Amino acid sequence: MASASLLKSSPVFDKSEFVKGQTLRQPSVSVIRCHPTTAPCLTVRAACSYADELVKTAKTIASPGRGILAMDESNATCGKRLASIGLENTEANRQAYRTLLITAPGLGQYVSGAILFEETLYQSTTDGRKMVDVLVEQNIVPGIKVDKGLVPLAGSNDESWCQGLDGLASRTAAYYQQGARFAKWRTVVSIPNGPSALAVKEAAWGLARYAAIAQDSGLVPIVEPEILLDGEHGIDRTFEVAQQVWAEVFFYLAENNVMFEGILLKPSMVTPGAECKDRATPEQVADYTLKLLRRRIPPAVPGIMFLSGGQSEVEATLNLNAMNQAPNPWHVSFSYARALQNTCLKTWGGLPENVKAAQDALLVRAKANSLAQLGKYTGEGESDEAKKGMFVKGYVY
C-alpha cells in the first residue's frame, strides 16, 4: 500500500489552471491515484488523408508578399455595402461587384487566397465564367466561409456564440468538390462584456471542432476568434484578454487532433479599444501583437493572416508593415475585407464605366499590403479616403 507521503506527492490538477497559466494549487485533501504497471494504450486519430495537401495549401496562401482578400460578406451585409453607394441588394448587383473584384488584372501577384460566401462559390461572373475558375487562373486559392453567424449565448453577460457545426462535415465535403481549398469560421469575444469564461470556452471549442472537421474534408481551416474593438479599454487589457483566448483556442485545437501545419490564423491585432483616448502607434501595436504571438502561437503554424477589425485602410497597412520589420517564425500577413475594398467600392459606385478605376483602387491597396507583408511599405501618396476609419460598434456580419 502506498505511503501517506507518496499519496500527498501526487496531486491532481485542473486542466484549466494549466492552460491559463495560473499558479497551480495544492489540493486541500489527499487524492489516491492508481498507477498502472504498464503504460496505457493511447488512442490517436489516424493521419488525415489530406495531410500533404493541407500543408501545401497553407504554404501557398502564406507565400511571400501575398495575403487574403476577404469577400465573404453575407448577402445581408453585402446589401449594406451596396446601399452605401445607392445600389439595390440584388443577386445581379452582388455578382457584378464580386466579378469586379476577382477579375482585377494581376490581383494574384498580391493576393494568394479569396474567402467567398456560399453564393459566390457556386456563382459565375457576369460574362459566364465560374468564379472559382477565374480565381484559379489568377493563381488565387478559393476559400469559403462556413460558419452560420453569431447568436446570443445563453447564461453569459450578453455575449455571443457562433453556430454552424450541425451538418458541417457534409457542407465542407461539398465545398471541396466545388473547388474550395480552405475555410473560415469567425467567432467574437467582447472585452466590455467580460469576457466571461463561458464565452471564451465556447469560442475556443467551436473553432476547434470546426477546424478538425474542415481538415477531414481537405480544407485548410482559418481559425478566427476576433477580439472586438468595442470599448474604452487600453492596449494592455486587450493583450491580457487575447492571451487568455489564444491559450484556450490552442488547448482545444490540440484536444481535437488538429494538425497545426495545416491551419491558418486570423487574429485581431492588439490595439486599444476604439473609444480609448490613448491611441497606439504602429510600433506599439507591432510590439504588443508580436509578443502575444510569441507567447501563444506554435511556430508550426504557417501563416498569421490578420483581420483589419475596422481600422482605416492605411492604419491596417501601417500596423502590418511594423510587424514585418524583422523576421518572424510565421508568415505575418493580411486577410482584409473593408481595408481592401472600401475605396474600391466607392470608386465603382455601381457604374460600368468606373470598373477599371475601381479595380485600380483595389490593386493599389493590395500592392500596399503586399509591400507591408515584406516590411517595405512607406505610406507615401495615400488618399484621404484610405485614411478614414471604418469602425462600426458591435460590427457583426
Side-chain angles (χ1 to χ4, degrees), residues 191-192 227-235 237-238 271-276:
I191 292 179
I227 312 295
L228 294 174
L229 277 179
D230 307 61
E232 301 177 354
H233 55 276
I235 195 169
R237 176 58 177 159
T238 305
T271 65
E275 290 103 19
C276 180

Side-chain angles (χ1 to χ4, degrees), residues 227 235-236 238-240 242-243 246 265-272 280-297 304-307 311 316 318-320 322-324 328-330 332-333 336:
I227 312 295
I235 195 169
D236 287 293
T238 305
F239 181 83
E240 177 188 7
Q243 278 200 115
W246 281 106
L265 303 185
K266 187 171 179 176
S268 315
M269 298 178 190
V270 180
T271 65
T281 65
E283 291 72 25
Q284 289 173 316
V285 171
D287 180 59
Y288 273 85
T289 304
L290 291 175
K291 181 165 65 174
L292 169 68
L293 295 182
R294 287 192 293 266
R295 289 187 180 183
R296 288 292 181 262
I297 312 303
I304 315 294
M305 322 301 286
F306 282 100
L307 58 90
Q311 301 174 70
L318 284 170
N319 289 340
L320 178 62
M323 282 186 271
N324 281 297
N328 293 300
W330 327 266
V332 175
S333 192
Y336 295 163

Side-chain angles (χ1 to χ4, degrees), residues 10-41:
S10 303
V12 176
F13 299 121
D14 182 82
K15 65 183 179 183
S16 63
E17 295 174 332
F18 174 76
V19 171
K20 296 172 185 175
Q22 299 174 359
T23 302
L24 299 176
R25 302 193 306 266
Q26 293 291 335
S28 57
V29 296
S30 298
V31 179
I32 297 177
R33 172 180 286 160
C34 296
H35 297 280
T37 56
T38 58
C41 178

Side-chain angles (χ1 to χ4, degrees), residues 361-377:
L362 173 63
L363 292 172
V364 165
R365 292 263 43 89
K367 182 178 181 180
N369 286 291
S370 171
L371 290 171
Q373 198 288 309
L374 299 170
K376 298 178 179 179
Y377 172 73

Side-chain angles (χ1 to χ4, degrees), residues 5 9 31 135 220 237:
S5 61
S9 67
V31 179
L135 287 170
V220 169
R237 176 58 177 159

Side-chain angles (χ1 to χ4, degrees), residues 41-355:
C41 178
L42 299 178
T43 301
V44 180
R45 185 184 68 165
C48 174
S49 59
Y50 291 100
D52 292 342
E53 182 180 349
L54 291 169
V55 172
K56 182 179 178 181
T57 299
K59 288 183 176 179
T60 298
I61 296 172
S63 55
R66 299 206 293 168
I68 294 173
L69 169 62
M71 47 181 290
D72 57 321
E73 301 90 351
S74 66
N75 288 348
T77 300
C78 191
K80 294 177 182 178
R81 306 276 172 85
L82 294 174
S84 72
I85 58 170
L87 284 186
E88 187 181 353
N89 185 17
T90 64
E91 182 177 354
N93 285 335
R94 294 193 299 269
Q95 178 192 39
Y97 179 56
R98 287 160 174 164
T99 296
L100 180 159
L101 293 175
I102 70 170
T103 58
L107 183 63
Q109 182 178 347
Y110 315 117
V111 169
S112 54
I115 312 172
L116 310 178
F117 190 61
E118 187 176 64
E119 176 183 74
T120 316
L121 182 69
Y122 291 93
Q123 205 170 39
S124 296
T125 61
T126 52
D127 61 359
R129 294 178 292 162
K130 291 182 179 179
M131 295 273 190
V132 169
D133 292 344
V134 174
L135 287 170
V136 172
E137 290 168 7
Q138 288 260 49
N139 196 27
I140 298 172
V141 181
I144 177 70
K145 165 185 159 69
V146 299
D147 67 76
K148 293 294 185 180
L150 301 169
V151 292
L153 177 61
S156 72
N157 183 28
D158 195 25
E159 296 165 285
S160 301
W161 69 283
C162 188
Q163 58 188 347
L165 288 177
D166 287 352
L168 181 60
S170 60
R171 287 190 289 119
T172 50
Y175 297 151
Y176 182 92
Q177 292 300 317
Q178 184 62 17
R181 288 298 177 267
F182 71 101
K184 194 201 79 166
W185 178 288
R186 172 194 183 244
T187 192
V188 301
V189 173
S190 171
I191 292 179
N193 290 359
S196 67
L198 173 64
V200 172
K201 182 175 181 179
E202 175 61 42
W205 178 256
L207 284 166
R209 289 303 308 137
Y210 138 76
I213 293 167
Q215 286 190 340
D216 276 349
S217 296
L219 302 180
V220 169
I222 288 183
V223 177
E224 181 185 357
E226 179 177 354
I227 312 295
L228 294 174
L229 277 179
D230 307 61
E232 301 177 354
H233 55 276
I235 195 169
D236 287 293
R237 176 58 177 159
T238 305
F239 181 83
E240 177 188 7
V241 171
Q243 278 200 115
Q244 176 190 3
V245 171
W246 281 106
E248 200 94 343
V249 168
F250 272 91
F251 176 82
Y252 286 116
L253 286 172
E255 279 222 327
N256 282 273
N257 298 308
V258 173
M259 184 176 67
F260 291 169
E261 295 90 338
I263 67 173
L264 296 167
L265 303 185
K266 187 171 179 176
S268 315
M269 298 178 190
V270 180
T271 65
E275 290 103 19
C276 180
K277 295 179 181 179
D278 298 323
R279 307 313 301 160
T281 65
E283 291 72 25
Q284 289 173 316
V285 171
D287 180 59
Y288 273 85
T289 304
L290 291 175
K291 181 165 65 174
L292 169 68
L293 295 182
R294 287 192 293 266
R295 289 187 180 183
R296 288 292 181 262
I297 312 303
V301 175
I304 315 294
M305 322 301 286
F306 282 100
L307 58 90
S308 55
Q311 301 174 70
S312 73
E313 291 175 326
V314 170
E315 187 180 12
T317 309
L318 284 170
N319 289 340
L320 178 62
N321 185 71
M323 282 186 271
N324 281 297
Q325 293 306 299
N328 293 300
W330 327 266
H331 175 80
V332 175
S333 192
F334 59 93
S335 178
Y336 295 163
R338 288 173 292 169
L340 281 175
Q341 296 181 40
N342 191 55
T343 301
C344 168
L345 178 65
K346 292 184 177 181
T347 301
W348 177 48
L351 300 175
E353 60 267 29
N354 291 343
V355 167

